[in-house]
Amino acid sequence: MAHDWDAGRLDSDLSGAGPDTLAVRAGQQRTPEGEHGEPLFFTSSYVFRSAADAAATFAGEMPGNVYSRYTNPTVRAFEQRIAAMEGAEQAVATSSGMSAILATVMSLCSAGDHVLVSRSVFGATVSLFEKYFKRFGLEVDFVPLVDLQRWERAFKPNTKLVFVESPSNPLAELVDIEALAGICHAKGALFAVDNCFCTPALQQPLALGADIVIHSATKYIDGQGRCLGGVVAGRAELMKELVGFLRTAGPTMSPFNAWVFLKGLETLRLRMQAHCASAQVLADWLEQQPGVEKVYYAGLESHPQHELAKRQQKGFGAVLSFEIAGGKEAAWRFIDATRLISITANLGDSKTTITHPATTTHGRLSPEDRANAGIRDSLIRVAVGLEEVEDLKADLARGLAAI
């Protein structure tokens, strides 16, 4: 957008606006066309009125777009909307959830720094820290997510960053974010929370003391399994470092994907409420079924952190896992017997998905690492979608009948 364009009344006044209003309207800056919906800017570069304007824009002395690797109006609208919803000063969009983690660590850490990671994280996240970051000189240790005393003992003088998923994938473990934030800050470390499973509709880690919040926008922010994307949000001084990394390395979100995510955010809270309601019904039902040995879902009173989930989240999420008798063979029979639910490792979709974590999402981990993360061969993960819950229950009953 030209730096001398003033939309005036065409843009919405969002001072004091609530979260649902921010999810629909934040970040949009209307062009001289006066469009109501957010426009798509399909362009790699931008033109300038003069050589002097080009130089000033490249130098950051004049507002404006430089190159879509790191400045694009559609992507910026998505970033500003996420920042508003998370209560952050700034957000930076990336090409995927994994590249959001990559950009965070590469921007804020250096060789010789020590990073602490919760043990129960996504399999690819474990590989990123264990296989690749260590190769470039980072020290990495993994800590049980729920044990605050273990966290406190794990810090070293060179600990720079703490990274957790809460709730975790796939066992729905939680950490007391406010308490761990206090420990991190007392030790002089940054605290990053992967908020993918809750989204800002259910949890705001920055309000609980975290420094950085990370999302795979591919999941619930999109909501229909269409696009890949990630986003990091936090203080502007930290996000400035990430912008510099994107400018140089280029793990950039496409404008089209950003536009899809903007549309997803408009219905995020409504969808999350429906996801959570169905997940609760299925978790309650599964807990009563013969052949189901254990159900992992924070909405159950049997979950050891049920009260913590009630305190720091506005809902219990839509991912549940359960163990069945019979190990991998029985788990595969269960999964193969379903006829409605999609066998895929993605989650956050309007369509319910089912997967066997030990041989998919966490399949590249060593048996020891899987055991440490609690990923047993008998574990099945279901990401609950938006279908009729009775239809989902009937399909899971087919799986139970097969074992």
Side-chain angles (χ1 to χ4, degrees), residues 285-369:
W285 177 77
L286 282 166
E287 201 170 39
Q288 304 304 315
Q289 301 310 302
V292 176
E293 297 184 330
K294 186 176 181 61
V295 181
Y296 300 91
Y297 184 67
L300 296 172
E301 291 187 4
S302 60
H303 191 285
Q305 296 164 299
H306 177 68
E307 292 302 319
L308 174 60
K310 287 169 61 176
R311 187 169 75 245
Q312 72 182 16
Q313 298 173 194
K314 296 177 182 177
F316 299 114
V319 177
L320 58 90
S321 296
F322 54 96
E323 292 183 20
I324 60 171
K328 185 181 82 170
E329 182 180 345
W332 280 18
R333 284 205 309 271
F334 184 112
I335 292 169
D336 290 346
T338 59
R339 289 294 178 266
L340 173 68
I341 299 172
S342 306
I343 304 175
T344 180
N346 194 35
L347 59 93
D349 202 316
S350 57
K351 301 177 180 70
T352 299
T353 67
I354 190 168
T355 194
H356 183 243
T359 53
T360 59
T361 58
H362 294 70
R364 295 193 176 188
L365 301 185
S366 69
E368 180 183 3
D369 286 340

Side-chain angles (χ1 to χ4, degrees), residues 35 113 135 172 230 236 238 245 250 274 317 338 364 397:
E35 69 284 343
D113 286 340
R135 185 182 299 175
L238 300 176
F245 179 77
T338 59
R364 295 193 176 188

Side-chain angles (χ1 to χ4, degrees), residues 143-156:
V143 183
L145 177 64
V146 303
D147 192 336
L148 291 175
Q149 291 184 345
R150 292 281 293 274
W151 280 109
E152 190 145 18
R153 293 199 301 269
F155 279 82
K156 298 179 179 179

Side-chain angles (χ1 to χ4, degrees), residues 75-365:
V75 177
R76 182 169 59 246
F78 169 66
E79 292 171 334
Q80 291 177 348
R81 188 168 297 179
I82 284 288
M85 295 175 70
E86 285 286 8
E89 292 179 356
Q90 186 178 348
V92 178
T94 65
S95 57
S96 69
M98 292 308 303
S99 68
I101 300 172
L102 173 71
T104 300
V105 177
M106 294 294 286
S107 302
L108 301 176
C109 297
S110 303
D113 286 340
H114 178 234
V115 178
L116 292 173
V117 183
S118 56
R119 193 179 298 283
S120 50
V121 293
F122 179 48
T125 303
V126 175
S127 297
L128 181 62
F129 280 96
E130 185 73 22
K131 184 176 181 181
Y132 295 104
F133 286 146
K134 280 187 175 181
R135 185 182 299 175
F136 291 94
L138 276 187
E139 295 180 41
V140 180
D141 286 312
F142 293 87
V143 183
L145 177 64
V146 303
D147 192 336
L148 291 175
Q149 291 184 345
R150 292 281 293 274
W151 280 109
E152 190 145 18
R153 293 199 301 269
F155 279 82
K156 298 179 179 179
N158 60 331
T159 302
K160 181 67 175 291
L161 176 70
V162 171
F163 176 90
V164 304
E165 288 179 12
S166 184
S168 69
N169 180 12
L171 298 180
E173 291 182 317
L174 285 75
V175 69
D176 187 327
I177 293 175
E178 187 172 17
L180 185 52
I183 294 172
C184 292
H185 296 153
K187 302 286 189 179
L190 295 170
F191 181 32
V193 177
D194 185 324
N195 198 29
C196 176
F197 274 30
C198 276
T199 80
L202 302 183
Q203 179 174 262
Q204 291 184 306
L206 299 180
L208 296 170
D211 300 292
I212 300 160
V213 63
I214 296 173
H215 291 280
S216 171
T218 311
K219 309 303 190 295
Y220 294 104
I221 288 173
D222 176 1
Q224 295 186 41
R226 298 164 292 193
C227 295
L228 293 177
V231 64
V232 186
R235 297 192 302 275
E237 64 182 280
L238 300 176
M239 296 304 103
K240 180 181 178 181
E241 297 298 322
L242 272 84
V243 172
F245 179 77
L246 258 68
R247 181 173 187 160
T248 304
T252 308
M253 179 178 286
S254 79
F256 177 79
N257 289 10
W259 184 85
V260 171
F261 297 144
L262 282 165
K263 298 296 101 182
L265 288 173
E266 293 179 0
T267 61
L268 179 60
R269 185 181 65 84
L270 296 174
R271 288 187 287 106
M272 292 306 295
Q273 287 179 334
H275 282 297
C276 292
S278 292
Q280 185 72 58
V281 170
L282 292 179
D284 289 334
W285 177 77
L286 282 166
E287 201 170 39
Q288 304 304 315
Q289 301 310 302
V292 176
E293 297 184 330
K294 186 176 181 61
V295 181
Y296 300 91
Y297 184 67
L300 296 172
E301 291 187 4
S302 60
H303 191 285
Q305 296 164 299
H306 177 68
E307 292 302 319
L308 174 60
K310 287 169 61 176
R311 187 169 75 245
Q312 72 182 16
Q313 298 173 194
K314 296 177 182 177
F316 299 114
V319 177
L320 58 90
S321 296
F322 54 96
E323 292 183 20
I324 60 171
K328 185 181 82 170
E329 182 180 345
W332 280 18
R333 284 205 309 271
F334 184 112
I335 292 169
D336 290 346
T338 59
R339 289 294 178 266
L340 173 68
I341 299 172
S342 306
I343 304 175
T344 180
N346 194 35
L347 59 93
D349 202 316
S350 57
K351 301 177 180 70
T352 299
T353 67
I354 190 168
T355 194
H356 183 243
T359 53
T360 59
T361 58
H362 294 70
R364 295 193 176 188
L365 301 185

